[in-house]
Amino acid sequence: MNLIDTHAHLDSPKIYARLDEVLANAKEAGVDRIVTIGASRGMDSNRRALEIARQYDWIRCTIGLHPHDAESADEATVELLRREFAGDAQVVGIGETGLDYFYDNAPVDKQKWAFRQFLEMSKEFNKPVIIHSRDADEDCIAMLKETGVTGGILHCFTGSRWMAEELFELDFYLSFSGIVTFKSAAELLEIARDTPLERILVETDSPYLAPIPHRGRPNEPAYLRHTAEKIAEARGMSFEEFAQATTKNASRVFDWPLT
Ligand SMILES: [Zn+2]
Ligand SMILES: [Zn+2]
C-alpha cells in the first residue's frame, strides 16, 4: 500500500546531497509520491523544488517563503513567484507560508504581509495554500477569514481543538507529522484520531521531525509509514485503509489524479 508524503523539503542541503538514495528509500518504503515544498532561502529553495519536480514524474512542488524568512520577503520576490512560478503545472500548491510566533525569527508585521501575499496568490491560481502556524492560531484563522481562503492545508498541525474546528469550517485539511509518534503528543494524537477521514493528510516535513524510532536523525520520506501507522492505530483502522484514505485526500487537494 502506498503513501503520499505531502510535505518534504527535498531541496534542503541535508537531503539534496543524497537525493538519489533518499528517493530510492522512499520508493522502497511504499511512499510513491512526494510534494516538495519551496520555502526557505527564498528563491534558491523555490527554484530547486521546481527543478526536482520537473525531473521526477512522481514528485510535484509548491512555492512559498517560510515565515522564518519573512524578513527577506519583498514585492519583487513575490511578483517573480507569481509571474514565473505559480502557474507552472508542476506547482500544485502555494506555500509554505504562515505565521510563527514561537521562534519569532521575523517581525510579525512582515510575516503577516508575506502571508497575505501568498493567500491572495492561492486564490488567484486556485491552488491550495500550505500553511505553517505556530503559536499563532487566532491570527491565522482571522487572516483566512479576511481573505476568504478555503480548502488549503495546515501542515504539521500542532494547534488546538478550536483551531482544528475552525479549519474544518473553512474546508481545510490537517496534515500530521512525526510529532504524533512522540510520547508527549497524546493530545495531538487525539485530534488526529478525531479528524474527519476525508480531511486528514500525513507528511514528514523532512529533514525535520523524524518520527519514532528515527527521532533525532535527519528525517526522510521513507519514514512516513511510522506516522501513518500511529494514526491508523489510534483510529482503530488498518494501515492499508488509512493509507488509501490519505492518498485519496492528497490527490484531491493537490488536484493530482491517481493513475
Ligand atoms: Zn513548517
Ligand atoms: Zn515545511
Side-chain angles (χ1 to χ4, degrees), residues 31-32 52 77 79 95 102 104 108 111 136 148 206 224 237 258:
V31 175
D32 66 359
I52 295 168
T77 308
E79 186 49 27
F102 180 78
D104 203 20
V108 167
Q111 292 192 38
S206 301
L224 184 60
M237 296 173 74
L258 298 167

Side-chain angles (χ1 to χ4, degrees), residues 7 66 96 132 155 205:
H7 193 111
H66 198 281
E96 76 183 89
H132 172 110
H155 109 85
D205 205 10

Side-chain angles (χ1 to χ4, degrees), residues 51-185:
E51 206 176 279
I52 295 168
R54 283 187 174 147
Q55 206 177 335
Y56 300 91
D57 62 1
W58 54 290
I59 298 176
R60 298 285 186 273
C61 73
T62 68
I63 50 147
L65 185 67
H66 198 281
H68 290 169
D69 293 325
E71 184 88 72
S72 68
D74 57 27
E75 305 253 2
T77 308
V78 170
E79 186 49 27
L80 181 67
L81 285 171
R82 201 181 73 79
R83 218 179 44 236
E84 288 184 22
F85 289 76
D88 195 289
Q90 299 299 318
V91 175
V92 294
I94 306 296
E96 76 183 89
T97 180
L99 304 170
D100 193 319
Y101 298 168
F102 180 78
Y103 282 110
D104 203 20
N105 284 346
V108 167
D109 282 357
K110 207 67 205 273
Q111 292 192 38
K112 285 186 172 173
W113 180 84
F115 187 23
R116 188 177 302 275
Q117 307 310 308
F118 288 112
L119 288 171
E120 292 298 337
M121 210 184 288
S122 116
K123 275 198 298 190
E124 183 182 344
F125 288 89
N126 196 26
K127 293 183 179 181
V129 67
I130 291 89
I131 299 180
H132 172 110
S133 171
R134 188 140 184 222
D135 287 0
D137 290 11
E138 284 176 26
D139 283 3
C140 179
I141 295 295
M143 285 184 66
L144 289 177
K145 288 183 175 170
E146 268 166 51
T147 53
V149 169
T150 57
I153 298 167
L154 203 305
H155 109 85
C156 191
F157 183 80
T158 55
S160 61
R161 243 176 220 276
W162 172 84
M163 175 81 157
E165 294 299 332
E166 290 285 325
L167 288 165
F168 297 143
E169 290 289 311
L170 298 170
D171 290 333
F172 262 67
Y173 292 75
L174 303 193
S175 180
F176 292 91
S177 71
I179 293 178
V180 296
T181 68
F182 300 172
K183 285 201 176 60
S184 55

